[in-house]
Amino acid sequence: MGDTKILIVEDEAITSMDIRRSLIELGYEVTGTATTGELAVEMAGKLHPDLILMDIMLAGKMNGIEAAEQIKNRFHIPVVYLTAYSDDPFLQKARVTEPYGYILKPFRELELKTTIEMALYKHAIEDALRISEETTRVLLNATDDILFLADTSGRLMAANESLAIKAKKHVRDLRGTNIAELVSAGILSSRMAGWNVSIAQKKPEHFEEEFNGEWFDTTVYPILGPQADVVLFAVFIRNITASKRNEEQTRNNEEFFRSLLEGTSDIIAVLNPDATFRHESPSVSQALGYSAEDLVNKPIYSIIPDEDIPAAQAIFHGILENPGMVRPIQIRLKKKDRSRCAMKGIISNLQGNPVINGIVLNGWIRKP
């Protein structure tokens, strides 16, 4: 309590001194006293006390209620009202300012201490809740994904800006509405709304779905209550249309490139950055005798004579360090029957190329 600073707002000098004495005896620090509402607002802004004891009836143009309302809106400092009458008609008006308590004059020190401690506790809880809500709001809006929280009846408890934008509404207008409205409006599919998730299974549900010409990745997380029953659903929806189209384009590119490989008589091999085979043309098998199964994920050095490996490694590492580089190459290769042959051609670094994305070796076997 020694660190708790309290501002007294009381226009009766004797009462103010009595309150000050009691607060000091209880271990609080009195940071100042004010006799008018105007001075109370000014001192609250300068001193930033932890709590204000505010007399409702003050001399001057501003009464305690008006001063408390300004202090609440500007400085968020908790106010406890002091009043001489429990049936004071001003108490009705005072409730609008959401005070943290009332103390009847004359007061007892135990009552004063209890009211102050309860007010400080309530204010701390409200601050923690406000921080938690703001943190949640920031996290919800830190992504372009659609995020929302709904209860088991489908009522939206929270939603982020991404969902609000998609629904063409404000976030505040979404809260409390039923998610069925978004399904009916074509904003979400029934699966995105969690209608396919059983509250009995208590496990996350993950799926990908095409909806209105776009692809979405959705996860529905059940949230359990104190009795281990599902009380809420947290839903995360990500638009994956671009990645789906990229995957399809990649598949088409690979099929196209594979058709080129199969239709050529030249030796063509696509190597990974670690020099292992990823693809090779059928002519490799015809020229060297290896099947595709013999070479897949094997390093190219496995078909190069041991004495030629250092030179081949130097060539490969040089091309690997220079994206887009093309250079001629002439190397000896080992056939499956252990005989040797010479290959002449080019090696190219086509990493990043949307069709190939690898190191390409293209050549032909020199006839003896």
Side-chain angles (χ1 to χ4, degrees):
M1 290 187 296
D3 295 331
T4 302
K5 300 177 181 180
I6 298 178
L7 172 64
I8 302 171
V9 184
E10 171 62 66
D11 58 0
E12 295 181 4
I14 295 177
T15 303
S16 179
M17 291 175 61
D18 191 27
I19 295 172
R20 180 186 181 90
R21 177 190 56 78
S22 295
L23 290 175
I24 292 174
E25 288 180 356
L26 289 170
Y28 299 106
E29 178 184 342
V30 177
T31 191
T33 58
T35 56
T36 66
E38 293 86 351
L39 183 58
V41 175
E42 180 182 346
M43 293 181 71
K46 290 181 179 179
L47 302 176
H48 299 287
D50 299 305
L51 182 137
I52 297 174
L53 293 176
M54 177 81 70
D55 187 17
I56 290 180
M57 298 300 295
L58 294 171
K61 296 181 180 180
M62 184 184 295
N63 62 36
I65 298 172
E66 294 167 337
E69 187 170 15
Q70 286 200 27
I71 290 169
K72 172 191 172 185
N73 294 335
R74 293 171 60 181
F75 310 119
H76 305 290
I77 299 172
V79 173
V80 171
Y81 283 127
L82 301 170
T83 180
Y85 307 100
S86 60
D87 59 349
D88 192 327
F90 280 95
L91 288 179
Q92 298 297 327
K93 296 181 180 179
R95 291 191 179 95
V96 178
T97 62
E98 299 177 351
Y100 285 76
Y102 301 90
I103 297 177
L104 290 176
K105 297 185 290 185
F107 57 84
R108 293 177 297 173
E109 287 191 352
L110 178 59
E111 178 189 2
L112 179 64
K113 177 183 177 182
T114 302
T115 304
I116 289 174
E117 291 302 310
M118 289 300 296
L120 292 171
Y121 176 76
K122 179 182 177 183
H123 182 65
I125 293 297
E126 289 180 353
D127 271 353
L129 180 60
R130 194 159 39 243
I131 292 172
S132 176
E133 289 176 344
E134 179 62 14
T135 301
T136 300
R137 186 191 66 80
V138 170
L139 291 175
L140 284 174
N141 294 319
T143 176
D144 292 330
D145 300 341
I146 292 174
L147 307 176
F148 63 86
L149 193 66
D151 64 17
T152 53
S153 66
R155 185 164 55 101
L156 284 170
M157 310 300 294
N160 69 345
E161 292 287 349
S162 295
L163 179 58
I165 291 171
K166 191 174 180 63
K168 298 180 181 179
K169 293 184 177 181
H170 293 290
V171 169
R172 63 177 179 270
D173 296 329
L174 287 175
R175 294 195 193 104
T177 62
N178 197 291
I179 200 169
E181 296 179 20
L182 298 180
V183 175
S184 299
I187 306 300
L188 300 175
S189 72
S190 59
R191 294 190 72 192
M192 293 175 188
W195 290 357
N196 63 307
V197 179
S198 170
I199 62 174
Q201 68 178 20
K202 303 178 183 180
K203 293 181 180 179
E205 177 81 11
H206 176 261
F207 58 89
E208 293 182 1
E209 178 185 29
E210 186 177 14
F211 179 66
N212 289 341
E214 296 183 294
W215 277 92
F216 296 92
D217 182 289
T218 301
T219 306
V220 182
Y221 292 94
I223 298 175
L224 305 184
Q227 305 301 322
D229 54 338
V230 177
V231 293
L232 297 171
F233 290 104
V235 182
F236 298 75
I237 303 173
R238 172 169 294 176
N239 191 317
I240 57 171
T241 304
S243 62
K244 279 290 185 179
R245 289 173 179 169
N246 287 338
E247 289 176 7
E248 183 179 0
Q249 185 61 48
T250 299
R251 284 194 298 270
N252 292 338
N253 290 340
E254 289 179 348
E255 291 175 3
F256 173 73
F257 186 65
R258 189 175 294 110
S259 69
L260 290 180
L261 290 179
E262 292 173 354
T264 182
S265 59
D266 293 345
I267 291 179
I268 300 178
V270 180
L271 308 177
N272 296 309
D274 60 357
T276 57
F277 284 96
R278 187 198 308 164
H279 301 298
E280 63 280 332
S281 62
S283 55
V284 171
S285 176
Q286 298 169 7
L288 302 178
Y290 299 104
S291 66
E293 290 74 18
D294 293 331
L295 298 178
V296 65
N297 295 326
K298 297 290 182 60
I300 189 173
Y301 308 122
S302 64
I303 64 170
I304 295 177
D306 293 345
E307 62 270 23
D308 294 346
I309 289 178
Q313 288 176 328
I315 294 172
F316 187 83
H317 291 155
I319 200 79
L320 189 64
E321 293 172 358
N322 295 277
M325 185 178 192
V326 180
R327 61 164 294 177
I329 187 173
Q330 183 169 334
I331 56 174
R332 291 192 303 165
L333 301 175
K334 295 187 297 186
K335 294 184 179 183
K336 190 169 184 177
D337 62 6
R338 298 187 179 182
S339 63
R340 300 182 180 186
C341 61
M343 189 193 80
K344 188 175 182 180
I346 59 173
I347 187 170
S348 311
N349 185 341
L350 296 182
Q351 291 194 97
N353 182 288
V355 177
I356 301 173
N357 192 31
I359 306 300
V360 177
L361 185 64
N362 185 2
W364 57 93
I365 300 298
R366 296 175 58 189
K367 295 181 179 180

PDB file of all heavy atoms in Angstrom, residues 78-96:
ATOM      1  N   PRO A  78      -9.047   5.357 -11.590  1.00  0.00           N
ATOM      2  CA  PRO A  78     -10.250   4.953 -10.855  1.00  0.00           C
ATOM      3  C   PRO A  78     -10.668   6.004  -9.827  1.00  0.00           C
ATOM      4  O   PRO A  78      -9.826   6.608  -9.156  1.00  0.00           O
ATOM      5  CB  PRO A  78      -9.823   3.649 -10.184  1.00  0.00           C
ATOM      6  CG  PRO A  78      -8.335   3.734 -10.085  1.00  0.00           C
ATOM      7  CD  PRO A  78      -7.886   4.486 -11.299  1.00  0.00           C
ATOM      8  N   VAL A  79     -11.974   6.194  -9.703  1.00  0.00           N
ATOM      9  CA  VAL A  79     -12.533   7.186  -8.789  1.00  0.00           C
ATOM     10  C   VAL A  79     -13.481   6.491  -7.816  1.00  0.00           C
ATOM     11  O   VAL A  79     -14.327   5.692  -8.220  1.00  0.00           O
ATOM     12  CB  VAL A  79     -13.280   8.293  -9.557  1.00  0.00           C
ATOM     13  CG1 VAL A  79     -14.014   9.224  -8.580  1.00  0.00           C
ATOM     14  CG2 VAL A  79     -12.311   9.098 -10.424  1.00  0.00           C
ATOM     15  N   VAL A  80     -13.329   6.804  -6.539  1.00  0.00           N
ATOM     16  CA  VAL A  80     -14.265   6.375  -5.496  1.00  0.00           C
ATOM     17  C   VAL A  80     -14.954   7.617  -4.971  1.00  0.00           C
ATOM     18  O   VAL A  80     -14.299   8.593  -4.585  1.00  0.00           O
ATOM     19  CB  VAL A  80     -13.540   5.637  -4.356  1.00  0.00           C
ATOM     20  CG1 VAL A  80     -14.491   5.396  -3.190  1.00  0.00           C
ATOM     21  CG2 VAL A  80     -12.971   4.317  -4.851  1.00  0.00           C
ATOM     22  N   TYR A  81     -16.278   7.599  -4.966  1.00  0.00           N
ATOM     23  CA  TYR A  81     -17.033   8.780  -4.537  1.00  0.00           C
ATOM     24  C   TYR A  81     -17.177   8.849  -3.019  1.00  0.00           C
ATOM     25  O   TYR A  81     -17.322   7.822  -2.333  1.00  0.00           O
ATOM     26  CB  TYR A  81     -18.433   8.769  -5.154  1.00  0.00           C
ATOM     27  CG  TYR A  81     -18.462   9.176  -6.616  1.00  0.00           C
ATOM     28  CD1 TYR A  81     -19.079   8.367  -7.563  1.00  0.00           C
ATOM     29  CD2 TYR A  81     -17.897  10.378  -7.036  1.00  0.00           C
ATOM     30  CE1 TYR A  81     -19.124   8.732  -8.896  1.00  0.00           C
ATOM     31  CE2 TYR A  81     -17.941  10.759  -8.374  1.00  0.00           C
ATOM     32  CZ  TYR A  81     -18.547   9.933  -9.292  1.00  0.00           C
ATOM     33  OH  TYR A  81     -18.587  10.313 -10.605  1.00  0.00           O
ATOM     34  N   LEU A  82     -17.146  10.087  -2.523  1.00  0.00           N
ATOM     35  CA  LEU A  82     -17.449  10.389  -1.135  1.00  0.00           C
ATOM     36  C   LEU A  82     -18.791  11.113  -1.092  1.00  0.00           C
ATOM     37  O   LEU A  82     -19.015  12.047  -1.866  1.00  0.00           O
ATOM     38  CB  LEU A  82     -16.370  11.296  -0.521  1.00  0.00           C
ATOM     39  CG  LEU A  82     -14.933  10.748  -0.518  1.00  0.00           C
ATOM     40  CD1 LEU A  82     -13.962  11.844  -0.111  1.00  0.00           C
ATOM     41  CD2 LEU A  82     -14.831   9.554   0.424  1.00  0.00           C
ATOM     42  N   THR A  83     -19.695  10.666  -0.236  1.00  0.00           N
ATOM     43  CA  THR A  83     -21.002  11.315  -0.145  1.00  0.00           C
ATOM     44  C   THR A  83     -21.510  11.238   1.289  1.00  0.00           C
ATOM     45  O   THR A  83     -21.172  10.305   2.030  1.00  0.00           O
ATOM     46  CB  THR A  83     -22.022  10.657  -1.093  1.00  0.00           C
ATOM     47  OG1 THR A  83     -23.277  11.326  -0.972  1.00  0.00           O
ATOM     48  CG2 THR A  83     -22.194   9.186  -0.790  1.00  0.00           C
ATOM     49  N   ALA A  84     -22.299  12.226   1.645  1.00  0.00           N
ATOM     50  CA  ALA A  84     -22.825  12.270   3.009  1.00  0.00           C
ATOM     51  C   ALA A  84     -24.151  11.553   3.130  1.00  0.00           C
ATOM     52  O   ALA A  84     -24.597  11.249   4.247  1.00  0.00           O
ATOM     53  CB  ALA A  84     -22.968  13.729   3.463  1.00  0.00           C
ATOM     54  N   TYR A  85     -24.819  11.250   2.003  1.00  0.00           N
ATOM     55  CA  TYR A  85     -26.149  10.654   2.053  1.00  0.00           C
ATOM     56  C   TYR A  85     -26.241   9.437   1.125  1.00  0.00           C
ATOM     57  O   TYR A  85     -25.872   9.522  -0.051  1.00  0.00           O
ATOM     58  CB  TYR A  85     -27.216  11.688   1.661  1.00  0.00           C
ATOM     59  CG  TYR A  85     -27.136  12.966   2.460  1.00  0.00           C
ATOM     60  CD1 TYR A  85     -26.531  14.094   1.933  1.00  0.00           C
ATOM     61  CD2 TYR A  85     -27.657  13.017   3.751  1.00  0.00           C
ATOM     62  CE1 TYR A  85     -26.437  15.270   2.675  1.00  0.00           C
ATOM     63  CE2 TYR A  85     -27.581  14.186   4.506  1.00  0.00           C
ATOM     64  CZ  TYR A  85     -26.963  15.311   3.959  1.00  0.00           C
ATOM     65  OH  TYR A  85     -26.880  16.462   4.692  1.00  0.00           O
ATOM     66  N   SER A  86     -26.747   8.362   1.639  1.00  0.00           N
ATOM     67  CA  SER A  86     -26.878   7.158   0.819  1.00  0.00           C
ATOM     68  C   SER A  86     -27.985   7.294  -0.205  1.00  0.00           C
ATOM     69  O   SER A  86     -27.999   6.589  -1.220  1.00  0.00           O
ATOM     70  CB  SER A  86     -27.143   5.940   1.708  1.00  0.00           C
ATOM     71  OG  SER A  86     -28.340   6.123   2.455  1.00  0.00           O
ATOM     72  N   ASP A  87     -28.938   8.192   0.065  1.00  0.00           N
ATOM     73  CA  ASP A  87     -30.022   8.400  -0.891  1.00  0.00           C
ATOM     74  C   ASP A  87     -29.847   9.694  -1.668  1.00  0.00           C
ATOM     75  O   ASP A  87     -30.803  10.266  -2.175  1.00  0.00           O
ATOM     76  CB  ASP A  87     -31.372   8.420  -0.165  1.00  0.00           C
ATOM     77  CG  ASP A  87     -31.438   9.525   0.894  1.00  0.00           C
ATOM     78  OD1 ASP A  87     -30.378  10.106   1.192  1.00  0.00           O
ATOM     79  OD2 ASP A  87     -32.548   9.775   1.410  1.00  0.00           O
ATOM     80  N   ASP A  88     -28.594  10.141  -1.751  1.00  0.00           N
ATOM     81  CA  ASP A  88     -28.293  11.374  -2.488  1.00  0.00           C
ATOM     82  C   ASP A  88     -28.766  11.213  -3.937  1.00  0.00           C
ATOM     83  O   ASP A  88     -28.368  10.261  -4.623  1.00  0.00           O
ATOM     84  CB  ASP A  88     -26.773  11.617  -2.457  1.00  0.00           C
ATOM     85  CG  ASP A  88     -26.400  13.009  -2.939  1.00  0.00           C
ATOM     86  OD1 ASP A  88     -27.105  13.525  -3.828  1.00  0.00           O
ATOM     87  OD2 ASP A  88     -25.409  13.553  -2.427  1.00  0.00           O
ATOM     88  N   PRO A  89     -29.617  12.123  -4.438  1.00  0.00           N
ATOM     89  CA  PRO A  89     -30.091  11.994  -5.830  1.00  0.00           C
ATOM     90  C   PRO A  89     -28.960  12.044  -6.848  1.00  0.00           C
ATOM     91  O   PRO A  89     -29.106  11.556  -7.972  1.00  0.00           O
ATOM     92  CB  PRO A  89     -31.039  13.189  -5.986  1.00  0.00           C
ATOM     93  CG  PRO A  89     -30.666  14.132  -4.894  1.00  0.00           C
ATOM     94  CD  PRO A  89     -30.204  13.291  -3.757  1.00  0.00           C
ATOM     95  N   PHE A  90     -27.832  12.628  -6.437  1.00  0.00           N
ATOM     96  CA  PHE A  90     -26.702  12.686  -7.357  1.00  0.00           C
ATOM     97  C   PHE A  90     -26.079  11.300  -7.579  1.00  0.00           C
ATOM     98  O   PHE A  90     -25.348  11.094  -8.541  1.00  0.00           O
ATOM     99  CB  PHE A  90     -25.626  13.649  -6.833  1.00  0.00           C
ATOM    100  CG  PHE A  90     -25.930  15.093  -7.110  1.00  0.00           C
ATOM    101  CD1 PHE A  90     -26.556  15.876  -6.168  1.00  0.00           C
ATOM    102  CD2 PHE A  90     -25.593  15.660  -8.330  1.00  0.00           C
ATOM    103  CE1 PHE A  90     -26.844  17.208  -6.420  1.00  0.00           C
ATOM    104  CE2 PHE A  90     -25.868  16.986  -8.595  1.00  0.00           C
ATOM    105  CZ  PHE A  90     -26.505  17.777  -7.640  1.00  0.00           C
ATOM    106  N   LEU A  91     -26.357  10.357  -6.650  1.00  0.00           N
ATOM    107  CA  LEU A  91     -25.793   9.017  -6.820  1.00  0.00           C
ATOM    108  C   LEU A  91     -26.292   8.352  -8.098  1.00  0.00           C
ATOM    109  O   LEU A  91     -25.578   7.561  -8.719  1.00  0.00           O
ATOM    110  CB  LEU A  91     -26.135   8.141  -5.609  1.00  0.00           C
ATOM    111  CG  LEU A  91     -25.407   8.471  -4.304  1.00  0.00           C
ATOM    112  CD1 LEU A  91     -25.856   7.535  -3.196  1.00  0.00           C
ATOM    113  CD2 LEU A  91     -23.897   8.370  -4.501  1.00  0.00           C
ATOM    114  N   GLN A  92     -27.543   8.651  -8.464  1.00  0.00           N
ATOM    115  CA  GLN A  92     -28.082   8.099  -9.711  1.00  0.00           C
ATOM    116  C   GLN A  92     -27.285   8.580 -10.904  1.00  0.00           C
ATOM    117  O   GLN A  92     -26.966   7.817 -11.819  1.00  0.00           O
ATOM    118  CB  GLN A  92     -29.563   8.478  -9.850  1.00  0.00           C
ATOM    119  CG  GLN A  92     -30.460   7.930  -8.760  1.00  0.00           C
ATOM    120  CD  GLN A  92     -30.487   6.417  -8.759  1.00  0.00           C
ATOM    121  OE1 GLN A  92     -30.387   5.767  -9.804  1.00  0.00           O
ATOM    122  NE2 GLN A  92     -30.619   5.832  -7.572  1.00  0.00           N
ATOM    123  N   LYS A  93     -26.966   9.867 -10.895  1.00  0.00           N
ATOM    124  CA  LYS A  93     -26.157  10.430 -11.982  1.00  0.00           C
ATOM    125  C   LYS A  93     -24.720   9.915 -11.905  1.00  0.00           C
ATOM    126  O   LYS A  93     -24.061   9.729 -12.924  1.00  0.00           O
ATOM    127  CB  LYS A  93     -26.164  11.956 -11.911  1.00  0.00           C
ATOM    128  CG  LYS A  93     -27.535  12.585 -12.123  1.00  0.00           C
ATOM    129  CD  LYS A  93     -27.437  14.096 -12.058  1.00  0.00           C
ATOM    130  CE  LYS A  93     -28.814  14.728 -12.276  1.00  0.00           C
ATOM    131  NZ  LYS A  93     -28.752  16.212 -12.200  1.00  0.00           N
ATOM    132  N   ALA A  94     -24.245   9.695 -10.689  1.00  0.00           N
ATOM    133  CA  ALA A  94     -22.864   9.244 -10.513  1.00  0.00           C
ATOM    134  C   ALA A  94     -22.639   7.873 -11.122  1.00  0.00           C
ATOM    135  O   ALA A  94     -21.531   7.561 -11.595  1.00  0.00           O
ATOM    136  CB  ALA A  94     -22.514   9.230  -9.030  1.00  0.00           C
ATOM    137  N   ARG A  95     -23.650   7.022 -11.121  1.00  0.00           N
ATOM    138  CA  ARG A  95     -23.492   5.661 -11.657  1.00  0.00           C
ATOM    139  C   ARG A  95     -23.123   5.663 -13.130  1.00  0.00           C
ATOM    140  O   ARG A  95     -22.492   4.724 -13.613  1.00  0.00           O
ATOM    141  CB  ARG A  95     -24.784   4.869 -11.432  1.00  0.00           C
ATOM    142  CG  ARG A  95     -25.061   4.539  -9.970  1.00  0.00           C
ATOM    143  CD  ARG A  95     -26.196   3.541  -9.838  1.00  0.00           C
ATOM    144  NE  ARG A  95     -26.446   3.217  -8.444  1.00  0.00           N
ATOM    145  CZ  ARG A  95     -27.363   3.807  -7.697  1.00  0.00           C
ATOM    146  NH1 ARG A  95     -28.143   4.745  -8.226  1.00  0.00           N
ATOM    147  NH2 ARG A  95     -27.532   3.465  -6.427  1.00  0.00           N
ATOM    148  N   VAL A  96     -23.509   6.695 -13.845  1.00  0.00           N
ATOM    149  CA  VAL A  96     -23.194   6.783 -15.276  1.00  0.00           C
ATOM    150  C   VAL A  96     -21.693   6.838 -15.506  1.00  0.00           C
ATOM    151  O   VAL A  96     -21.185   6.353 -16.517  1.00  0.00           O
ATOM    152  CB  VAL A  96     -23.887   8.014 -15.907  1.00  0.00           C
ATOM    153  CG1 VAL A  96     -23.525   8.147 -17.385  1.00  0.00           C
ATOM    154  CG2 VAL A  96     -25.389   7.920 -15.732  1.00  0.00           C
TER     155      VAL A  96
END
